[in-house]
């Protein structure tokens, strides 16, 4: 050790308690803008299909990550706000490590007719049940309450 | 420039759950001073370039590289920061020396994560803000400058607040990925628990480790599910600590009073950041190792690699990574573990340092912690856990939740 004497009382060192004020606008981008505007007025989702490899992106993107090509206007289409649970977990602690009031089931849901998945909270009475492969549908906010963010999807539930 | 490049100096601090006795700069000074003394170089005269590896939000600074030079001996010298794990730093040092512009380059990475009071929320910022992060819970409308409510409403206190509006801890993704790994390969939770037992036991022989323990598979299995199937003891706890390396070209290395350990190969790879299309098979580790093996001339890693330090920040990750690196067949790493092959006495000693489960999660320093063990073993300085006949070792790191990127380094005598 470089220093001959060390502090042993963790509360004794002088310190300054600071924070980083770091607020941003996260813009939805061209693809996100179209997706969320559609979601405000409809109970379906939008997806895009790569003209070269036919991979269907959900959430929709303007370019294909495999082919690095643009996805044109005519490759946008509507898909149901439904899917099947690919993976799920039961989270029990919050971001400070404290116990959540009640455990939350989080699923990675493969959206029907697409090659993409979405993280979603899954409402279920039996959190311990096997959910892999289970078909679920999105429960959306009433149309007049939607804001054009992912919060318009309240949760997913079994059909 | 076809010059071989060696590790000629290593230095590290102890790793501790908190380090209130020193500032992060003093922590860096300590490790760097040790590395320079180990190499027998004077940073003010002999080191041509300095690389640090850090992430602004973990540090609590903007433009972290501006805060660097003084505590590593680099003021008024070529200096840069890699926003990534320490093995990326080693790769950059290697390339700098290859240019012929530099002969001696130092690489530093550290964790002072105990300074960060909102760790979970900072990691949540690594999820896509529009399509992924909102699943963790309510995103409060912030009272930013220019918002209609500013400055009439005071920003709400965030630190330490506890109510039902709190966000879900970002490690939930490990629960999803572990479930995928177990189902795909038939690996069991007990086998993952055995990784924890092995690594915490190995850590007893690593003086700087902070989470060594004598525990049983039952202890791990009985620890509570935090993100099922991830249990509390499957997760490496956060620690503070710093590691520094000194690298040199062959000619310079041979003039120094130290046994050079060659950096024979390295590779790195990033998968798509989108969870929507990521495959969760640790392909980043596969691609990075393919690149590193090719560079090091390794054609049969199972036969040629004598020791592995792989990223085990969650227990299943050790097994998943061994398979991705081609050191175990798909779905067979758990069997190797059960057969004792991953023990210090086995055919593929893995995480003999104790890994992140035994040493602690030291964030950007993780890759250097893995590399430190390999270099120490290759030098023959590993003490009680010293392996015999060790010529080639691999160190591998992952960027952590929620990333799909990582790097690999191969060292030889
Ligand atoms: Zn394509």
């Amino acid at each position: 050790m470089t220093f001959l004497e060390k502090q042993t009382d963790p509360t004794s060192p002088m310190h300054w308690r600071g924070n980083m004020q770091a607020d941003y606008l996260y813009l939805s981008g061209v693809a996100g803008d179209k997706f969320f505007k559609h979601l405000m007025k409809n109970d379906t989702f939008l997806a895009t299909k790569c003209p070269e490899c036919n991979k269907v992106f959900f959430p929709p993107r303007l370019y294909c990550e495999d082919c690095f090509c643009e996805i044109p206007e005519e490759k946008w289409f509507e898909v149901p706000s439904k899917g099947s649970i690919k993976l799920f977990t039961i989270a029990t602690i919050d971001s400070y490590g404290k116990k959540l009031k009640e455990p939350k089931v989080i699923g990675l849901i493969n959206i029907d007719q697409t090659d993409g998945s979405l993280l979603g909270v899954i409402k279920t009475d039996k959190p311990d049940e096997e959910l892999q492969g289970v078909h679920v549908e999105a429960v959306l906010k009433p149309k007049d309450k939607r804001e054009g963010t992912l919060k318009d999807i309240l949760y997913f539930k079994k059909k | 420039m076809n010059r071989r490049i060696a590790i000629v100096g290593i230095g590290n601090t102890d790793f501790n759950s908190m380090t209130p006795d020193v500032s992060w700069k003093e922590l860096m000074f300590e490790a760097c001073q040790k590395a320079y003394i180990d190499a027998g170089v004077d940073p003010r005269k002999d080191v041509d370039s300095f690389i640090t590896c850090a992430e602004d939000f973990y540090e609590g600074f903007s433009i972290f590289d501006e805060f660097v030079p003084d505590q590593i001996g680099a003021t008024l010298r070529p200096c840069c920061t890699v926003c990534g794990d320490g093995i990326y730093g080693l790769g950059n040092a290697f390339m700098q020396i290859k240019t012929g512009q530099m002969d001696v380059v130092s690489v530093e990475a550290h964790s002072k994560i105990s300074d960060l009071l909102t760790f979970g929320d900072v990691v949540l910022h690594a999820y896509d803000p529009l399509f992924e992060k909102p699943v963790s819970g309510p995103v409060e409308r912030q009272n930013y400058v220019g918002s209609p409510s500013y400055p009439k409403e005071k920003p709400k206190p965030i630190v330490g607040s506890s109510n039902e509006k709190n966000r879900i801890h970002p490690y939930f993704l490990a629960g999803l990925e572990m479930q995928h790994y177990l189902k795909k390969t038939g690996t069991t939770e007990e086998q993952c628990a055995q990784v924890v037992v092995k690594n915490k036991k190995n850590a007893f022989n690593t003086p700087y480790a902070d989470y060594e323990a004598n525990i049983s598979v039952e202890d791990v299995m009985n620890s509570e599910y935090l993100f099922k199937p991830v249990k509390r003891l499957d997760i490496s706890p956060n620690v503070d600590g710093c590691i520094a390396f000194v690298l040199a070209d062959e000619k310079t290395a041979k003039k120094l009073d130290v046994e050079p350990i060659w950096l024979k190969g390295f590779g790195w790879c990033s998968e798509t950041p989108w969870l929507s299309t990521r495959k969760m098979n640790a392909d980043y580790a596969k691609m990075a190792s393919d690149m590193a093996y090719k560079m090091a001339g390794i054609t049969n890693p199972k036969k040629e690699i004598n020791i592995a330090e792989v990223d085990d920040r969650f227990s299943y990750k050790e097994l998943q990574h061994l398979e991705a690196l081609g050191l175990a067949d798909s779905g067979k790493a758990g069997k190797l573990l059960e057969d004792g092959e991953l023990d210090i006495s086995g055919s593929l000693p893995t995480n003999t340092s104790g890994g992140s489960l035994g040493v602690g999660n030291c964030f950007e320093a993780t890759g250097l912690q893995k590399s430190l063990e390999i270099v120490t073993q290759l030098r023959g300085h590993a003490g009680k856990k010293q392996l015999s006949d060790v010529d080639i070792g691999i160190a591998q790191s992952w960027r952590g939740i929620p990333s799909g990127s990582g790097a690999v380094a191969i060292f030889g005598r």
Side-chain angles (χ1 to χ4, degrees), chain A residues 65 89 94-95 99 132, chain B residues 121 166-167 183 224 228 272:
Chain A
E65 64 185 18
T89 186
D94 71 14
S95 58
K99 260 216 145 38
Q132 201 174 36
Chain B
D121 285 338
N166 276 7
R167 294 191 267 265
K183 287 194 170 157
E224 61 184 317
K228 196 179 178 179
T272 180

Side-chain angles (χ1 to χ4, degrees), chain B residues 389-406:
Chain B
D389 301 327
V390 55
D391 291 316
I392 302 274
I394 185 169
Q396 177 257 336
S397 63
W398 159 59
R399 191 85 203 284
I401 294 280
S403 84
S405 50

Side-chain angles (χ1 to χ4, degrees), chain B residues 39-207:
Chain B
V41 296
D42 177 349
R44 305 301 294 147
K45 296 202 303 269
D46 307 324
V47 178
D48 302 314
S49 166
F50 301 78
I51 298 170
T52 56
C53 306
E55 162 70 50
D56 280 5
F57 275 83
Y58 289 159
E59 304 299 331
F61 300 99
S62 307
I63 321 181
F64 174 79
D65 51 307
E66 275 299 300
F67 289 81
V68 164
D70 53 325
Q71 70 271 33
I72 64 172
T75 44
L76 287 170
R77 309 294 289 281
C79 184
C80 69
T81 295
V82 172
C83 182
D85 176 87
I87 292 180
Y88 288 81
L90 293 181
N92 277 277
F94 185 101
M95 291 187 276
Q96 288 191 9
I97 297 172
K98 276 278 182 190
T99 64
Q101 281 276 63
M102 321 286 183
D103 294 331
V104 181
V105 178
S106 78
V107 176
E108 179 279 343
H110 65 273
S111 157
K112 192 72 157 93
I113 205 74
S114 70
D115 286 349
L116 174 56
L117 302 175
T118 55
F119 168 72
D121 285 338
V122 165
V123 177
L124 278 172
H125 279 300
Y127 285 83
D128 183 275
L130 292 156
F131 288 101
E132 294 170 356
K133 191 179 161 189
V135 79
S136 70
V139 182
E140 304 265 330
R141 277 216 185 275
Q142 286 297 316
N143 198 17
Y144 56 88
V145 178
S147 76
S149 56
Y150 184 89
K152 280 176 274 171
E153 291 171 27
K154 290 244 159 59
K156 294 172 195 132
I158 293 175
V159 176
S161 66
S162 179
N163 56 55
E164 74 277 13
K165 284 189 168 172
N166 276 7
R167 294 191 267 265
I168 294 167
H169 196 284
Y171 281 3
F172 71 83
L173 182 61
L176 298 175
E177 196 183 73
M178 180 169 170
Q179 191 197 51
H180 172 66
Y181 175 71
L182 297 185
K183 287 194 170 157
K184 181 172 166 265
T185 61
T187 305
T188 62
E189 286 182 46
E190 284 80 4
Q191 287 172 321
C192 297
Q194 214 175 322
V195 172
V196 183
V197 174
K198 169 179 72 72
N199 292 1
K200 284 188 178 291
K201 194 172 136 221
N202 286 350
F204 277 109
N205 289 318
T206 299

Side-chain angles (χ1 to χ4, degrees), chain B residues 333-399:
Chain B
K335 180 77 169 57
L336 286 182
L337 175 75
E338 282 182 342
D339 293 346
E341 302 296 352
L342 307 185
D343 290 346
I344 291 174
S345 57
S347 60
L348 180 65
T350 300
N351 287 330
T352 55
S353 69
S356 302
L357 290 162
V359 169
N361 179 1
C362 50
F363 295 85
E364 310 308 7
T366 299
L368 290 190
Q369 187 270 316
K370 310 277 177 207
S371 303
L372 180 70
E373 176 67 9
I374 302 292
V375 171
T376 307
Q377 288 277 3
L378 291 169
R379 281 180 169 189
H381 295 174
K384 268 192 190 172
K385 63 186 167 179
Q386 179 62 48
L387 305 168
S388 49
D389 301 327
V390 55
D391 291 316
I392 302 274
I394 185 169
Q396 177 257 336
S397 63
W398 159 59
R399 191 85 203 284

Side-chain angles (χ1 to χ4, degrees), chain A residues 50-55 57 64-69 71:
Chain A
C50 171
E52 287 181 23
C53 70
N54 289 328
K55 186 166 172 174
F57 287 98
C64 175
E65 64 185 18
D66 294 334
C67 309
F68 200 66
C69 64
I71 299 180

